[in-house]
Amino acid sequence: MEYTVQKLGQLAGVSTRTLRYYDEIGILKPARINSSGYRIYGQVEVDRLQQIMFYREMNVSLEKIKAILEQPDFDEAEALRKHRVELLDKRKQLDELIRNVEKSIAHSERRMTMTDKEKFEGFKQKMIDDNETKYGTEIREKYGEETVNKSNAKLKGMSEAELARIDQLGQTILTDLQVAYETGDPAGELAQNVAAMHKEWLMAYWDSYSKEAHAGLAQMYVDDARFTAYYDKEKPGSAAFLRDAIVIFTSK
């Protein structure tokens, strides 16, 4: 079965503009161009578009999807199995949020009582699932399944007040990092205070602390472009500066 841009767009529920853009960036090129100049897509392209759409549903960037699909050892069947696991996790998250809403309705109608902790269960699970989607593979490879699972369990057990405190601490780290960066001295008092706050922030999630793991995570902030972009958003170079400050902090 072959499809023109318009027919493939109708089949998949995407715009022809999107398909043309995919052709331009090389993530989904047509099988051929016919004598009338129309893009023609075959079964291989249909299956590739399905993979692209699965990854996009998981909020994976087009750049990363293209790199994944072009790996010499890319296994379509294995990719589909991973998609299934991720979608089941997403369904679990949605089911928990739905249960949370249903409980909240019953609580508001005085048909049942709901603790403050219960009110935020679904949101904490969403936070865990989002982190797994973005960084799960890398973190699990670096620290192991048991460590990550303990961290997730610890997060899920936090009260709303604890979550708010940790979130505020994270924001303070970002703000103070920008000030410390201007000094240009990762060994200075401001930078070392940021490193100490970063340790405190980590301990909210980690089951135990080691200087080696802390320094290793700081290096990941530089090695992984997603972490680097997060810390470098306001001032390029901040991720490397934070890494240097933490390395000094953990060497004491």
Side-chain angles (χ1 to χ4, degrees):
M1 191 74 179
E2 291 188 330
Y3 303 90
T4 62
V5 167
Q6 185 173 6
K7 288 183 178 179
L8 181 58
Q10 291 172 346
L11 176 71
V14 299
S15 68
T16 56
R17 182 178 180 181
T18 295
L19 292 176
R20 292 190 179 96
Y21 177 66
Y22 286 175
D23 183 9
E24 289 174 14
I25 65 175
I27 193 172
L28 180 68
K29 302 194 75 65
R32 61 187 177 86
I33 305 295
N34 69 11
S35 58
S36 300
Y38 290 108
R39 295 174 174 87
I40 302 297
Y41 298 86
Q43 192 59 55
V44 170
E45 291 72 39
V46 169
D47 292 344
R48 186 177 175 96
L49 178 58
Q50 184 194 40
Q51 288 287 348
I52 293 169
M53 293 177 70
F54 276 135
Y55 280 116
R56 290 298 289 153
E57 187 65 25
M58 298 300 145
N59 296 317
V60 180
S61 70
L62 289 174
E63 182 180 7
K64 187 170 183 179
I65 296 172
K66 187 171 185 287
I68 292 170
L69 296 180
E70 291 180 354
Q71 289 176 354
D73 59 347
F74 176 74
D75 185 330
E76 183 178 348
E78 179 60 25
L80 287 169
R81 282 190 285 270
K82 288 182 178 179
H83 291 320
R84 181 179 181 275
V85 171
E86 290 171 348
L87 288 169
L88 287 172
D89 286 342
K90 191 170 185 179
R91 183 172 71 181
K92 180 181 176 183
Q93 174 193 322
L94 290 172
D95 286 343
E96 188 153 356
L97 285 171
I98 290 169
R99 285 194 297 271
N100 189 288
V101 170
E102 289 173 343
K103 283 184 179 180
S104 297
I105 292 171
H107 177 74
S108 67
E109 294 176 347
R110 302 185 184 281
R111 289 186 284 110
M112 66 168 286
T113 58
M114 188 178 190
T115 66
D116 289 340
K117 183 179 179 181
E118 286 178 312
K119 293 176 183 177
F120 298 97
E121 287 301 324
F123 298 104
K124 284 186 283 187
Q125 185 61 51
K126 183 179 186 302
M127 186 186 302
I128 291 170
D129 292 341
D130 287 346
N131 286 335
E132 285 284 354
T133 299
K134 291 179 182 177
Y135 312 116
T137 301
E138 294 84 350
I139 295 295
R140 288 179 183 277
E141 286 177 355
K142 189 172 183 65
Y143 296 106
E145 295 287 332
E146 184 179 359
T147 298
V148 176
N149 290 339
K150 284 182 177 179
S151 176
N152 288 342
K154 192 171 183 180
L155 172 59
K156 198 164 185 181
M158 287 184 191
S159 68
E160 183 60 15
E162 289 172 323
L163 281 173
R165 183 184 71 82
I166 294 305
D167 182 65
Q168 181 58 53
L169 181 59
Q171 294 303 314
T172 301
I173 289 171
L174 287 176
T175 302
D176 288 6
L177 174 61
Q178 306 312 313
V179 177
Y181 177 79
E182 293 297 331
T183 70
D185 183 10
E189 182 179 357
L190 290 176
Q192 289 304 292
N193 284 341
V194 170
M197 283 192 291
H198 191 269
K199 175 186 176 181
E200 181 184 353
W201 178 80
L202 280 179
M203 289 309 299
Y205 301 101
W206 285 8
D207 188 57
S208 61
Y209 176 82
S210 79
K211 292 181 176 182
E212 294 77 13
H214 193 182
L217 180 63
Q219 183 60 47
M220 186 185 293
Y221 289 167
V222 177
D223 294 340
D224 191 305
R226 293 166 299 175
F227 286 109
T228 303
Y230 176 75
Y231 285 105
D232 282 8
K233 185 177 180 180
E234 297 298 330
K235 296 182 185 297
S238 294
F241 182 85
L242 177 60
R243 183 271 316 273
D244 294 343
I246 291 172
V247 167
I248 294 169
F249 177 82
T250 56
S251 66
K252 296 176 181 178

